[in-house]
Amino acid sequence: MKNLIKEIKQFTEERDWDQFHSPENLAKSISIEAGELLECFQWNSNYNIDEVKSELADVLNYSLLLADKLGVDPEQIILDKMKITAKKYPIDKANGKSTKYNKL
């Protein structure tokens, strides 16, 4: 993960794009790209996998840039969130269900 972030940062620095990458702008970009990812599935389930991969890469790219900008380790924050989610959704209550945690 660290090598990937390093590559993304180098790519960005070479183009002098860091000046545009405030946390607010990166969060906006994640939302915009997530919308474009969702658009790949609009109206039917016949999606183009190459378009999906491209949009997913954009979401991940901006997400990793935001994590770096905030000085947080993406791997660690995901693991921390999974621990919280595991408490909210214990296996014995949530297994095979999509019910929200407060209604289990």
Side-chain angles (χ1 to χ4, degrees):
M1 185 75 70
K2 289 181 183 183
N3 286 336
L4 177 58
I5 293 171
K6 184 179 174 184
E7 293 254 351
I8 293 168
K9 285 177 66 174
Q10 180 179 343
F11 182 90
T12 300
E13 288 167 6
E14 290 170 348
R15 288 155 180 80
D16 194 26
W17 288 347
D18 189 58
Q19 63 180 313
F20 308 114
H21 290 171
S22 66
E24 179 184 1
N25 284 346
L26 290 168
K28 289 175 190 176
S29 295
I30 292 167
S31 182
I32 291 163
E33 295 299 340
E36 291 179 11
L37 175 60
L38 186 57
E39 191 175 31
C40 293
F41 300 98
Q42 189 174 16
W43 309 124
N44 61 51
S45 60
N46 296 325
Y47 56 88
N48 180 311
I49 190 64
D50 291 327
E51 289 177 10
V52 170
K53 290 186 326 186
S54 178
E55 298 304 337
L56 181 57
D58 288 340
V59 171
L60 292 168
N61 185 26
Y62 284 125
S63 296
L64 292 172
L65 280 171
L66 179 57
D68 183 71
K69 184 67 71 172
L70 297 174
V72 298
D73 178 3
E75 187 174 348
Q76 190 59 56
I77 64 174
I78 290 169
L79 292 172
D80 291 346
K81 180 63 177 186
M82 288 178 65
K83 287 178 188 175
I84 292 166
T85 304
K87 289 179 184 176
K88 290 164 78 171
Y89 294 93
I91 294 170
D92 62 323
K93 291 183 178 179
N95 190 24
K97 298 177 184 170
S98 62
T99 308
K100 190 169 179 177
Y101 69 93
N102 62 351
K103 296 188 179 183
L104 287 173

